[in-house]
């Protein structure tokens, strides 16, 4: 499960409206970190990873980690039969003295007999603290766990991988990366001595548990992979989901300077590009509440909770009106705060109720600022159900949303995890004894959002790096995939982030392709949406846009 580090609906001011389950404490702790996130204009590069902080190192020697696996397989993709090789293993991450500080685990799918220049796509999930298993076995690998009933239900066991006709292997080799601290990726055991017997200070885990260290280590992985696989000169694509979108945008901005690679394109799947657009932890940040309105309206329309003039409109018509209303009426009203006149407030409450399907009294109690989790609990409360914040089409029994009971946790939970472990042990043939960390809650709680500059305040964003890459590389294209029912990183949050980038007039329009899909944060759990997304990406990677 991709865990949003910008969990909505757990703001301290909502303690009276949202049950504070004990399971929610890690996310509350993270939210405190988000309040102090800062943005820095540049990253250090070319000097290795620098220690920051005093967290204890849980180190492992390379020989203690999973052995490398390799298996030759065949697949039928987009009507074509093809032979490929899957490789799993560890790639060392080096410091400035070429010492191994960490090992990153990955799974590579390489078309047999393909040219060296063939596109290579590096893929990763988000969190931060999530492995890449979800994009791998639920979306784009040649063998996946297919969703059922339009992605609305959890499949029953036994769980196993099946041939995926929607894999992208026919247009690109794929490398699924687990950042340090996730999957099997770990710190290295520090050398006791450095050069000429001098004492060597070990790199601490903190060096990787933050925006800056994460970006640098992931770019270093790309360099090492290209070297180990003799693929320098290949077209490079980056694909990130959720926080992985922030990671992909940041990597695109520093790859040239750090390793001399110019990416041909990046794929942003339900991305969190700027936490200003997604994080409502600060009471004076109204932007996330505005960005959620169209997705809330789409959910209300889907569950037949709209009335009045909106009742008989199509979803597209409802969303179009919601986008316009949120920008023209709702946002200015929220910015007025307590200066809003009573009559105007009452009118806005009625209009907000019409778009969301939530009673006026509940909206009034929330001061018109409804968190995703509260909307999730309120929309179908009379049926004793709540909707997923990841995909508001999906429901579960209960009167209040909680992270561990979100129905999307079930849909991509046990099925993907069990099938992935079967893939490693039965297909690839490796049998590691240590647990594979699909999601690391330790990372979620301790992530450093300061981008290496703790003297500046604000919400973390890598838009500046993406804008820099687009200015420098006019050929670099961006693909934005959005799920209409996503309440965690709603489509309008990404569109708002991209619209504020400092790029020449017309560049974004020429180089950005954006699409909506029938689903939520992980729209690929809907087989129909996965088919559409894969077909669109296949055309996009081929350069036909």
């Amino acid at each position: 499960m991709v865990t949003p580090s910008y969990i909505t609906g757990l703001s301290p001011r909502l303690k009276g409206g949202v049950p504070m389950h004990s399971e929610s404490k890690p996310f509350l702790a993270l939210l405190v970190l988000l309040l102090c996130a800062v943005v820095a204009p540049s990253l250090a590069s070319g000097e290795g990873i620098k220690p920051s902080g005093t967290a204890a190192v849980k180190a492992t020697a390379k020989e203690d980690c999973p052995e490398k696996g390799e298996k030759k397989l065949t697949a039928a993709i987009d009507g074509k039969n093809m032979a490929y090789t899957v490789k799993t293993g560890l790639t060392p991450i080096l410091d400035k003295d070429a010492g191994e500080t960490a090992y990153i685990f990955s799974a590579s799918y390489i078309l047999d007999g393909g040219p060296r220049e063939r596109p290579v796509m590096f893929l990763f999930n988000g969190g931060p603290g999530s492995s890449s298993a979800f994009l791998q076995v639920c979306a784009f690998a040649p063998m996946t766990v297919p969703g059922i009933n339009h992605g609305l239900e959890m499949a029953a066991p036994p769980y196993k991988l099946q041939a995926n006709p929607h894999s992208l292997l026919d247009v690109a080799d794929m490398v699924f990366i687990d950042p340090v601290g996730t999957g099997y990726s770990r710190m290295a055991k520090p050398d006791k001595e450095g050069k000429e017997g001098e004492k060597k200070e070990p790199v601490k885990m903190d060096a990787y548990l933050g925006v800056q260290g994460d970006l640098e280590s992931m770019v270093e992985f790309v360099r090492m992979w290209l070297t180990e696989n003799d693929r320098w000169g290949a077209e490079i694509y980056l694909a990130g989901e959720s926080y992985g979108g922030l990671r992909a945008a940041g990597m695109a901005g520093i790859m040239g300077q750090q390793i001399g690679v110019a990416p041909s394109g990046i794929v942003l799947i339900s991305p969190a590009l700027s936490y200003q657009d997604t994080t409502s932890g600060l009471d004076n940040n109204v932007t996330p509440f505005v960005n959620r309105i169209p997705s809330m309206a789409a959910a209300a329309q889907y569950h037949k909770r709209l009335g009045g003039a909106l009742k008989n409109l199509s979803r597209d018509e409802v969303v179009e009106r919601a986008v316009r209303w949120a920008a023209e009426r709702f946002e200015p009203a929220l910015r007025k705060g307590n200066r809003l006149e009573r009559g105007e407030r009452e009118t806005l409450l009625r209009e907000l109720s019409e778009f969301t399907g939530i009673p006026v009294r509940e909206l009034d109690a929330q001061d018109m600022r409804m968190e995703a989790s509260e909307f999730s609990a309120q929309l179908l409360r009379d049926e004793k159900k709540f909707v997923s914040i990841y995909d508001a089409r999906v429901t579960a029994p209960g009167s209040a949303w909680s992270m561990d009971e979100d129905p999307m946790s079930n849909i991509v939970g046990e099925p993907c995890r069990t099938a992935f472990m079967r893939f490693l042990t039965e297909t690839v043939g490796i049998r590691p004894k240590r647990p594979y960390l699909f999601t690391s809650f330790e990372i979620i709680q301790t992530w450093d959002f300061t981008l290496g500059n703790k003297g500046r305040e604000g919400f973390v964003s890598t838009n500046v790096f993406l804008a820099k890459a687009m200015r420098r590389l006019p050929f670099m294209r961006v693909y934005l995939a959005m799920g209409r029912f996503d309440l965690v990183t709603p489509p309008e949050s990404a569109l708002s982030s991209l619209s504020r980038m400092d790029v020449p007039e017309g560049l974004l329009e020429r180089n950005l392709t954006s699409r909506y899909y029938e689903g939520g944060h992980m729209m690929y759990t809907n087989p129909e949406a996965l088919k559409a997304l894969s077909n669109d990406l296949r055309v996009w990677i081929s350069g036909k846009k």
Side-chain angles (χ1 to χ4, degrees):
M1 184 68 182
V2 180
T3 305
S5 57
Y6 30 81
I7 284 291
T8 54
L10 295 179
S11 173
R13 70 182 179 85
L14 289 181
K15 288 181 180 178
V18 180
M20 291 288 107
H21 302 294
S22 60
E23 294 86 354
S24 300
K25 290 180 181 178
F27 304 104
L28 286 170
L30 176 66
L31 195 55
V32 173
L33 290 178
L34 287 175
L35 304 185
C36 301
V38 305
V39 179
S42 62
L43 294 179
S45 63
E47 297 182 357
I49 305 299
K50 300 178 178 63
S52 61
T54 57
V57 179
K58 189 173 182 180
T60 57
K62 186 175 182 180
E63 57 268 21
D64 296 332
C65 293
E67 63 194 278
K68 288 190 175 182
E70 184 170 326
K71 185 80 170 180
K72 289 191 173 294
L73 300 165
T74 59
I77 300 170
D78 197 31
K80 296 172 283 190
N81 293 320
M82 52 191 64
Y84 68 96
T85 300
V86 58
K87 299 179 180 180
T88 63
L90 295 160
T91 298
I93 302 302
L94 309 181
D95 61 17
K96 62 181 179 180
D97 298 319
E100 297 182 356
T101 61
Y103 303 105
I104 288 183
F105 185 81
S106 64
S108 303
Y109 297 81
I110 303 172
L111 184 70
D112 290 349
R116 291 182 181 178
E117 294 80 11
R118 188 170 196 264
V120 179
M121 179 176 285
F122 295 91
L123 304 96
F124 31 83
N125 280 93
S130 179
S131 74
S132 63
F134 304 102
L135 276 177
Q136 188 171 346
V137 299
C138 293
F140 298 124
M143 298 179 67
T144 55
V145 181
I148 62 172
N149 189 23
H150 311 291
L152 299 174
E153 297 178 12
M154 178 183 180
Y159 303 122
K160 62 180 181 180
L161 297 178
Q162 301 179 30
N164 177 20
H166 310 306
S167 173
L168 299 176
L169 184 62
D170 59 320
V171 291
D173 294 336
M174 294 177 291
V175 184
F176 295 87
I177 313 171
D178 294 341
V180 175
T182 72
Y184 291 128
S185 301
R186 298 288 190 273
M187 296 295 293
K189 284 184 177 178
D191 295 331
K192 292 182 180 179
E193 293 185 348
K195 295 179 181 179
E196 300 177 356
E198 65 182 7
K199 244 187 163 179
K200 189 174 182 180
E201 180 71 20
V203 174
K204 295 180 172 63
M205 187 69 169
D206 280 13
Y208 297 98
L209 302 188
V211 181
Q212 177 173 336
D214 175 70
L215 292 180
E216 292 181 341
S217 63
M218 292 289 277
V219 170
E220 171 67 4
F221 170 87
V222 172
R223 183 190 72 81
M224 289 293 293
W225 191 94
L226 294 175
T227 299
E228 291 180 339
N229 291 273
D230 197 18
R231 295 299 295 275
W232 284 93
E235 278 192 77
I236 302 301
Y237 290 86
L238 306 173
E241 178 195 319
S242 194
Y243 180 89
L246 185 146
R247 178 183 287 134
M251 290 174 65
I254 69 172
M255 285 181 75
Q257 185 178 6
Q258 185 168 326
I259 65 172
V261 168
S264 296
I266 67 172
V267 179
L268 306 172
I269 302 173
S270 305
L273 293 173
S274 170
Y275 277 32
Q276 179 183 354
D277 294 298
T278 59
T279 305
S280 49
L282 290 174
D283 284 351
N284 63 354
N285 183 30
V286 303
T287 307
F289 298 103
V290 176
N291 289 337
R292 288 190 205 114
I293 294 300
S295 289
M296 289 179 173
Q301 192 271 347
Y302 180 88
H303 292 288
K304 297 180 171 55
R305 291 295 164 134
L306 295 180
L310 300 175
K311 183 177 182 179
N312 296 319
L313 297 181
S314 69
R315 185 192 311 153
D316 289 345
E317 291 172 323
V318 169
V319 169
E320 183 181 354
R321 291 193 183 191
V323 169
R324 187 168 58 251
W325 179 83
E328 297 176 359
R329 296 269 296 148
F330 190 51
E331 182 170 12
L334 290 183
R335 295 196 183 281
K336 284 185 180 180
N338 56 22
R339 294 181 292 111
L340 192 66
E341 295 182 2
R342 177 176 296 181
E344 187 178 1
R345 177 184 174 87
E346 291 175 351
T347 299
L348 282 163
L349 280 167
R350 288 195 300 271
E351 293 172 351
L352 180 59
S353 177
E354 290 175 4
F355 277 111
T356 62
I358 304 299
V360 168
R361 65 179 181 278
E362 299 293 344
L363 296 171
D364 192 21
Q366 298 297 328
D367 197 22
M368 295 193 295
R369 302 182 182 198
M370 178 147 284
E371 301 281 3
S373 60
E374 187 66 11
F375 174 82
S376 165
Q378 292 286 348
L379 185 63
L380 302 177
R381 177 164 284 177
D382 59 335
E383 299 179 22
K384 295 189 175 179
K385 295 179 182 178
F386 64 88
V387 302
S388 170
I389 65 172
Y390 293 98
D391 187 339
R393 301 175 308 147
V394 187
T395 64
S399 58
W401 176 87
S402 66
M403 182 65 195
D404 59 327
E405 292 188 44
D406 190 291
M408 285 303 296
S409 298
N410 298 330
I411 290 174
V412 300
E414 289 89 338
C416 289
R417 296 178 185 219
T418 299
F420 182 74
M421 295 312 299
R422 288 189 67 174
F423 163 72
L424 291 180
T425 57
E426 297 177 13
T427 303
V428 183
I430 63 172
R431 290 172 173 79
K433 294 181 180 179
R434 70 177 70 256
Y436 181 93
L437 299 180
F438 288 87
T439 300
S440 170
F441 292 97
E442 179 182 357
I443 289 179
I444 294 171
Q445 294 179 71
T446 58
W447 196 258
D448 178 6
F449 288 90
T450 61
L451 263 173
N453 185 349
K454 298 184 179 182
R456 297 183 62 188
E457 296 181 355
F459 290 101
V460 68
S461 171
T462 53
N463 276 358
V464 63
F465 305 117
L466 179 57
K468 174 184 175 182
M470 295 189 75
R471 292 193 302 266
R472 290 187 62 248
L473 310 172
F475 53 81
M476 191 189 81
R477 296 174 297 139
V478 178
Y479 191 96
L480 174 61
M482 303 169 286
R484 183 66 273 175
F485 297 95
D486 184 0
L487 298 175
V488 177
T489 55
E492 282 64 37
S493 67
L495 293 170
S496 175
S497 297
L498 292 172
S499 69
R500 298 195 303 271
M501 288 199 309
D502 180 16
V503 295
E505 183 178 357
L507 180 61
L508 197 61
E509 289 75 9
R510 290 194 303 272
N511 289 11
L512 172 67
T513 302
S514 59
R515 296 282 187 275
Y516 296 95
Y517 295 94
E518 184 76 3
H521 197 64
M522 292 151 283
M523 74 287 288
Y524 46 78
T525 59
N526 178 1
E528 292 81 6
L530 173 60
K531 180 180 179 180
L533 173 59
S534 295
N535 288 340
D536 290 343
L537 285 175
R538 189 170 286 111
V539 172
W540 181 79
I541 293 171
S542 300
K544 301 174 183 177
K545 196 169 181 177

